[in-house]
Amino acid sequence: MADAIHAVKWSWAGEVTSKAIAPLAFVAIATILSPEDMGVFAAATMVTTFVQVIWDGGMGKALI
């Protein structure tokens, strides 16, 4: 049981860390880029995220 709790803690920490780093990186990049470049970056990020959501959804169903 202790191993399961330990695994859940590490899994949770990994999820929280990955979700927290993305917005911080986005803010850091926003301070570096010009407004025009930031618009291009934001659009590319939206497209990439959208494609990733579709890809992950299809792969989960295919594996099951």
Side-chain angles (χ1 to χ4, degrees), residues 2-48:
D3 289 336
I5 293 172
H6 186 69
V8 168
K9 286 180 186 178
W10 276 105
S11 178
W12 180 80
E15 286 294 321
V16 169
T17 302
S18 67
K19 301 294 183 202
I21 288 175
L24 294 175
F26 199 78
V27 169
I29 291 171
T31 60
I32 296 169
L33 296 177
S34 68
E36 294 83 14
D37 291 338
M38 187 60 199
V40 172
F41 177 75
T45 302
M46 287 186 343
V47 170
T48 304

Side-chain angles (χ1 to χ4, degrees), residues 43-59:
T45 302
M46 287 186 343
V47 170
T48 304
T49 303
F50 181 70
V51 169
Q52 187 178 22
V53 166
I54 292 173
W55 179 267
D56 289 341
M59 290 302 289

